[in-house]
Amino acid sequence: MIPKISPGFEDVLPVEYRELVQDGSYGRNLRIKDLGTFKESIEEHPLCAGCALSLSIRLIVASLPCPEDTIVVGTTGCNSILMPQLAIHNIHSLFGNQNAVASGLKRALKIRYPDKHKDVVVVAGDGGTADIGLSMTMHSWFRRENITTIMLDNEGYSNTGGQESSMTREGVVLYMAPLGKKYPKTRMFEIARESGCAYVAAVSPASPRRLEKMVRRAILVARAIGPTYVQIYCPCATNYKFSPSETLKRTKDDEQIREYMSSDAKELIERLGE
Amino acid sequence: MHFPIILFLTKNWLESHMASAICSQKDYKVVPGPEAYLSPAAASMGIVLPEKGQGLIEGQIVSEKVAMEAIAKKLLGAKNPTFFPGPNVLWAVSEKAVAKAVALQEMVKAVPGMKIIPMPDYRPKYPMINPEVEINPNHPNLTIWHNEIDVCVFAGVHCHYANLALKIIRGGTDCYTIALCANPGHEDAMISLRDVHVEDIRRLTKVIERLREGSK
C-alpha cells in the first residue's frame, strides 16, 4: 500500500516522512541505476565507517521489486541496528528465529491478501543464518516456503567484539578468536541448493548491478515457486582490521559470484525477462 | 537444614508484601509523575477500564460527560497543551481515518495555543530523535521534556504503544496525559475516554468551545 498523509497533517509530519511520500520509491519501480534521483528508504545508519554490510542493505532495499509490499524479517546482528532506519515494514525476531517467523508471516499474508503479492524477505547475518538459526533456515527450505533468505556474510560476529562464526574462513584470527579458526567456512550455497532452494546466488556489493539482478530474481522466484537464497559477501573493516577506504577493493578482490536456478526458476526468469 | 527457615522467611515476606500491595492498590491514583523509573502498570494496581458510556479520571470511573468536561478544563488551563496524533489518524489509510483526522484538527483549533507533534510510526529512532518535531513511543519523555509540555492528548495510537508511552510519561515526567481511545480506554492515562469516534470528538470540541466562551 502506498501511504498518503491525512489532509491537514502534511505540515506537522517530520520532513523525511513527507519526502518519502512525495519522492520515495513506493510504486515507482525504481532501480539501483536511479539511486540519487529519489528519496531512499534508508537515510542514515549507526554502523561503522567502511561497513560493507550497510552498503549491501542500501543496495538490497533499492533492488526490491515492490518495496511498499515487502516485509523484511531480521534478527540480532550488526544489521539489526540499521533495520529500524528503513522505511520498509520490518520485524526483528529472536536470534535465529527469522526464517520460522518469516514462514508464518508469509502463510498468513497469503490468506489475508490472496490476490496480492506480499514479499517476505529475511535479511540476517551469517551468525543468525548459518549458526544460531541454521535449523530454522534449513527447515524453511525443506518446507518449500515462499520466502527469500538473504545472508549478509561478514564472516564473523562483529557487533559483539569479533568472535568466529561458521562462515569465518579457516585460519582467520579475530579479536575474540585469537587461536585462529580451526575448520573451513560452511558451504551455505551448496546447503541451500541441496535443501530445496529454487534459486541460489552469491554476490557482493562490489557488483551492484549484479546484486540487484540476483535480489530481484530471488524475490520473484520466491513469489511463484519456492524458497530462494542470496549470500552477500560484505567484509567487516572493524574486525578484519582494514581501512574503511579499502572496503570496496577488498570486497571486489574476494567476491565469488555464483548462481544456481532450478529448471522451473530458469523458465520463470526467462519469461519475466529478468 | 536451612530449607525450612527460608520457607518461613519467604512466607512471611510474601504475606507482608501482599498486604502492602493490596493496600497500595486500593489507594492508587493515576496522577502526573515523575512516579518512578519503572512505574507500575495501572492495571496491576487495580485500575479497571470503564464500561461503555463511561470514562476514567485518575483511575476513577466516571460518566463520559464528566470525563469530557475534565478534559476540556485541563486543556484550557494548560500552559502548553499538545496533541500527539498516532499513525491511525496521521496516515490516510481509510475514509474513517481521514474523517477522524479532520475532527481532531477541529478540536486542536478550539484550544488556544495547542500544538501538534506527531507519532508517525513506532520504530525505535536510533541513534537519535528530534524531540522538537516528533514523539516516539519508546522514549516519549524526551519530547515532553524538550517542549515543556504540561498537558497532552493522544489519539490514533495502537493500544500497546499507547500504554507504553503513557507509562513512560507517568514514570519520568509531570505531564498530564489524556487518551482519546477508539477501543476500551487506557487505564495508564490520567483521563481516558473509550469508543471515541468522529461524533464523540466533535462533542468534545463543543464542550471545549462552551467552556472557553464561558470563561471570557
Side-chain angles (χ1 to χ4, degrees):
Chain A
M1 185 176 153
I2 299 170
K4 285 186 204 151
I5 303 169
S6 289
F9 282 135
E10 295 90 347
D11 294 340
V12 299
L13 271 175
V15 65
E16 66 264 28
Y17 291 91
R18 292 195 304 249
E19 286 174 357
L20 273 167
V21 172
Q22 289 156 11
D23 196 25
S25 61
Y26 294 173
R28 293 172 62 192
N29 197 24
L30 296 169
R31 311 284 287 261
I32 281 181
K33 68 176 169 49
D34 303 308
L35 280 174
T37 67
F38 64 96
K39 168 74 176 175
E40 290 180 52
S41 297
I42 178 168
E43 189 165 77
E44 58 177 35
H45 65 77
L47 299 183
C48 306
C51 175
L53 190 146
S54 63
L55 175 59
S56 302
I57 293 178
R58 185 183 179 210
L59 297 175
I60 291 166
V61 169
S63 306
L64 296 173
C66 203
E68 66 276 16
D69 284 311
T70 300
I71 296 110
V72 172
V73 182
T75 192
T76 309
C78 289
N79 64 87
S80 63
I81 53 172
L82 182 154
M83 289 304 182
Q85 307 306 315
L86 295 185
I88 303 277
H89 290 296
N90 175 243
I91 293 176
H92 177 87
S93 67
L94 281 178
F95 210 168
N97 282 5
Q98 63 279 2
N99 280 56
V101 171
S103 302
L105 180 64
K106 179 68 188 183
R107 291 182 188 198
L109 289 169
K110 275 186 196 171
I111 295 167
R112 176 68 180 80
Y113 301 98
D115 304 322
K116 197 166 180 58
H117 288 301
K118 294 277 183 182
D119 298 320
V120 177
V121 181
V122 172
V123 179
D126 47 303
T129 307
D131 289 358
I132 295 163
L134 182 61
S135 167
M136 257 46 108
T137 305
M138 287 181 66
H139 276 272
S140 74
W141 295 341
F142 296 159
R143 294 191 306 267
R144 306 292 193 264
E145 303 286 352
N146 291 96
I147 58 175
T148 298
T149 304
I150 299 177
M151 183 219 273
L152 299 164
D153 179 17
N154 62 3
E155 300 190 327
Y157 290 85
S158 293
N159 73 332
T160 48
Q163 294 82 9
E164 66 180 40
S165 79
S166 70
M167 296 302 285
T168 306
R169 290 178 225 187
E170 189 167 12
V172 166
V173 171
L174 293 169
Y175 286 115
M176 306 285 264
L179 299 178
K181 177 113 179 284
K182 303 285 188 203
Y183 60 96
K185 181 172 175 133
T186 300
R187 298 173 68 181
M188 281 300 287
F189 186 99
E190 288 78 7
I191 290 174
R193 189 184 61 206
E194 298 306 317
S195 301
C197 285
Y199 179 85
V200 184
V203 69
S204 87
S207 305
R209 293 284 174 90
R210 208 176 291 230
L211 184 149
E212 175 189 50
K213 183 180 270 193
M214 289 173 163
V215 168
R216 284 181 66 87
R217 284 179 170 183
I219 292 172
L220 295 171
V221 169
R223 276 184 193 173
I225 298 173
T228 56
Y229 173 67
V230 182
Q231 183 170 315
I232 300 180
Y233 171 60
C234 36
C236 169
T238 304
N239 282 288
Y240 276 78
K241 309 175 188 69
F242 58 85
S243 164
S245 62
E246 292 172 24
T247 299
L248 270 183
K249 183 182 178 310
R250 187 154 177 143
T251 308
K252 187 78 186 163
D253 289 347
D254 284 359
E255 77 172 346
Q256 289 187 349
I257 294 175
R258 301 169 71 189
E259 196 175 37
Y260 157 81
M261 56 189 92
S262 68
S263 53
D264 287 352
K266 192 174 182 185
E267 191 188 319
L268 178 79
I269 288 166
E270 284 172 1
R271 183 154 44 84
L272 295 175
E274 289 288 334
Chain B
M1 281 295 285
H2 298 292
F3 188 59
I5 299 168
I6 293 166
L7 258 185
F8 173 74
L9 287 174
T10 307
K11 187 168 174 284
N12 275 318
W13 183 89
L14 268 175
E15 278 172 357
S16 64
H17 278 73
M18 279 172 72
S20 66
I22 289 164
C23 177
S24 60
Q25 278 183 2
K26 195 178 155 194
D27 301 332
Y28 193 76
K29 287 186 84 176
V30 184
V31 290
E35 184 166 347
Y37 177 62
L38 289 171
S39 53
S44 72
M45 302 305 284
I47 307 297
V48 294
L49 289 170
E51 297 294 331
K52 282 186 188 297
Q54 295 179 326
L56 271 179
I57 299 180
E58 298 178 3
Q60 296 294 311
I61 290 177
V62 296
S63 72
E64 186 188 74
K65 193 178 164 194
V66 170
M68 277 197 183
E69 295 269 337
I71 291 172
K73 280 181 192 160
K74 274 287 168 194
L75 288 175
L76 292 170
K79 284 183 188 164
N80 192 8
T82 304
F83 173 45
F84 297 136
N88 282 334
V89 292
L90 279 173
W91 300 104
V93 291
S94 64
E95 287 178 14
K96 209 167 113 183
V98 171
K100 206 165 177 183
V102 171
L104 286 163
Q105 287 166 42
E106 289 165 5
M107 180 200 76
V108 170
K109 279 182 195 150
V111 181
M114 191 171 197
K115 282 194 309 187
I116 302 177
I117 296 181
M119 186 187 280
D121 57 35
Y122 306 134
R123 65 205 171 101
K125 284 295 181 92
Y126 186 85
M128 66 177 291
I129 186 174
N130 182 352
E132 195 162 334
V133 298
E134 65 180 313
I135 182 165
N136 187 274
N138 306 291
H139 34 67
N141 49 324
L142 300 181
T143 297
I144 290 182
W145 288 336
H146 183 89
N147 298 286
E148 298 181 358
I149 296 164
D150 58 342
V151 178
C152 70
V153 177
F154 281 92
V157 181
H158 289 89
C159 306
H160 46 301
Y161 281 106
N163 278 339
L164 175 69
L166 290 164
K167 209 155 89 69
I168 293 172
I169 292 171
R170 201 169 86 244
T173 81
D174 60 356
C175 182
Y176 201 94
T177 54
I178 297 164
L180 305 181
C181 177
N183 292 305
H186 284 285
E187 68 277 10
D188 280 299
M190 278 129 230
I191 307 181
S192 176
L193 292 177
R194 60 167 290 166
D195 305 311
V196 177
H197 303 294
V198 174
E199 58 277 20
D200 307 291
I201 298 164
R202 296 231 155 95
R203 278 198 294 132
L204 175 61
T205 304
K206 281 190 180 143
V207 175
I208 294 168
E209 286 168 348
R210 176 169 53 77
L211 288 187
R212 192 188 65 201
E213 294 306 313
S215 67
K216 278 184 183 171

